[in-house]
Amino acid sequence: SLFVPVLLYMLVSVVMVWRAGAWAQARGGYACLAVVGGMLFMFSDTLIAVNKFVVPISGVEVGIMSTYWMAQVAIAASVNFACSVNL
C-alpha cells in the first residue's frame, strides 16, 4: 500500500511550505516567493495524484510541468533576491 509513503510525502510538502512561510516572514520582501513556489509544488503534486488515482485529466501534463517549473523559478528567485537584498 502507498498510504504511508504518500502520507509522509504530504507531510514533507506541508512542512516545506510552513518553513518557507516562516522564512518569508523573517526576511520579508522577495522571500515570499518561496511560499508561492512551495504552494505551486503542492499544486503540481495534487494534479499528479488526481490524474493517477482519481480521474484521468486530458492534457494534465502541461499543467503539471508548468506549475513545477514556476515553482522552481519562484524558489530560486526568492533565495536570489532575499540574499542579495538583505546582505
Side-chain angles (χ1 to χ4, degrees):
S1 174
L2 292 175
F3 180 76
V4 173
V6 169
L7 188 64
L8 288 173
Y9 187 80
M10 287 171 52
L11 178 64
V12 169
S13 296
V14 169
V15 169
M16 174 185 62
V17 174
W18 168 51
R19 296 313 308 154
W23 183 68
Q25 190 174 21
R27 298 287 283 191
Y30 288 104
C32 67
L33 289 173
V35 178
V36 172
M39 291 173 70
L40 284 167
F41 266 126
M42 288 181 70
F43 185 70
S44 177
D45 290 343
T46 300
L47 288 175
I48 293 169
V50 168
N51 185 58
K52 183 149 182 83
F53 300 112
V54 180
V55 61
I57 304 168
S58 178
V60 73
E61 296 83 8
V62 173
I64 291 168
M65 292 311 295
S66 62
T67 54
Y68 174 81
W69 283 108
M70 286 188 289
Q72 293 279 3
V73 168
I75 292 171
S78 75
V79 172
N80 183 46
F81 289 131
C83 291
S84 65
V85 170
N86 296 321
L87 288 177

